Amino acid sequence: MSKIPVYFLPGLAANSLIFERIKLQESTFEIHLLDWETPKKNEILLGYAKRMAELVTLPKAVLIGVSFGGVLVQEMARYLDLRKLIIISSVKSNLELPLTMKIAKTTKAYKLMPTGLFQNMDSLPKFFFGNVLKQRIKLYQKYLSVLEKTYLDWAIEQMVLWDRVEVDKNVIHIHGDADAIFPIKNIRNFIVVKGGTHIMILSKYKWFNENLPKIILE
């Protein structure tokens, strides 16, 4: 029996090392890690998603995206014949976005974000997570390496301006009940991970190693 190809895409600014703790049975699954490509000038989300979909070369694959990666895999799915589409710590439509992002869309405040400062790794956790979580986030700084200004400006804008309203019924959504970026109160129809934060792909890897195979195969 041929192995099931499973493609993983990380979240905004993250690299594929965030999946290093995910271990699936090698006799059944074949893991492929995707990393962010540099967006072209004035590239729209669908155009970028089509380019990224070309990296999924094996048929009937499982496509898994985390956070903004979860948004992108939903758009990539338009161009692919998938076995399963799974999002983690993400949203299924712009209706699930938090109020802060909706306000940023209306006011265009996202354009004022000083993404150029994120070339300094110490700035990123403080800006996104505040001083309280700064020390904890430092543990994961090796995973946040996609800090090119062109990419960050593009990705933040695509996240805030995402125009999907109708949910793809094929999406399997896994979400933590302690996610501070996408609060669970805004999320509908999902598999809950108790105590899962926005970085639970790292902190709750044991849950994923135990449950992902069942979710994929069921």
Side-chain angles (χ1 to χ4, degrees):
M1 186 178 73
S2 59
K3 297 180 182 181
I4 298 171
V6 184
Y7 288 80
F8 287 91
L9 182 66
L12 194 153
N15 58 55
S16 58
L17 285 175
I18 69 166
F19 303 113
E20 66 181 0
R21 299 177 183 177
I22 301 302
K23 308 295 182 187
L24 303 180
Q25 189 173 9
E26 292 184 3
S27 60
T28 304
F29 305 101
E30 183 178 313
I31 290 180
H32 300 267
L33 303 179
L34 300 174
D35 278 301
W36 294 102
E37 299 280 318
T38 301
K40 297 177 181 178
K41 186 176 182 179
N42 299 321
E43 188 168 28
I44 63 172
L45 187 63
L46 281 179
Y48 186 88
K50 187 175 183 180
R51 277 205 297 133
M52 290 293 287
E54 293 171 358
L55 301 176
V56 180
T57 57
L58 296 174
K60 288 294 181 183
V62 177
L63 187 55
I64 301 176
V66 175
S67 191
F68 177 58
V71 168
L72 188 67
V73 297
Q74 290 173 76
E75 301 303 331
M76 290 168 63
R78 297 173 186 266
Y79 308 104
L80 297 166
D81 181 18
L82 297 172
R83 179 189 180 105
K84 286 279 173 68
L85 176 60
I86 301 172
I87 66 173
I88 298 167
S89 307
S90 190
V91 292
K92 298 183 292 298
S93 78
N94 60 16
L95 302 177
E96 293 184 337
L97 290 175
L99 181 60
T100 51
M101 289 191 185
K102 292 177 180 177
I103 293 173
K105 177 181 180 179
T106 303
T107 63
K108 299 191 184 304
Y110 63 90
K111 290 181 177 290
L112 302 176
M113 189 170 289
T115 50
L117 296 178
F118 298 158
Q119 302 299 318
N120 176 0
M121 283 298 295
D122 288 336
S123 300
L124 189 66
K126 183 176 181 180
F127 189 90
F128 276 122
F129 303 102
N131 287 322
V132 175
L133 295 180
K134 183 179 178 182
Q135 293 305 313
R136 182 176 178 187
I137 298 304
K138 274 181 174 288
L139 298 175
Y140 307 116
Q141 285 191 333
K142 75 173 183 177
Y143 304 111
L144 300 174
S145 66
V146 190
L147 302 176
E148 183 186 11
K149 179 173 169 54
T150 301
Y151 162 77
L152 285 177
D153 287 342
W154 176 86
I156 291 168
E157 182 174 51
Q158 302 308 315
M159 182 74 252
V160 173
L161 299 185
W162 194 38
D163 61 1
R164 182 185 287 269
V165 176
E166 187 173 343
V167 172
D168 183 341
K169 293 181 177 151
N170 294 318
V171 173
I172 298 169
H173 190 170
I174 304 173
H175 210 82
D177 61 5
D179 193 312
I181 305 298
F182 297 126
I184 200 170
K185 66 181 181 181
N186 300 320
I187 309 298
R188 301 289 179 270
N189 301 319
F190 59 94
I191 298 169
V192 66
V193 178
K194 298 291 185 184
T197 65
H198 196 64
I199 54 173
M200 66 180 183
I201 194 68
L202 290 168
S203 59
K204 296 287 185 181
Y205 67 94
K206 291 181 181 178
W207 186 96
F208 287 100
N209 288 342
E210 180 181 348
N211 291 279
L212 266 182
K214 294 182 285 187
I215 292 170
I216 291 171
L217 293 172
E218 68 183 11

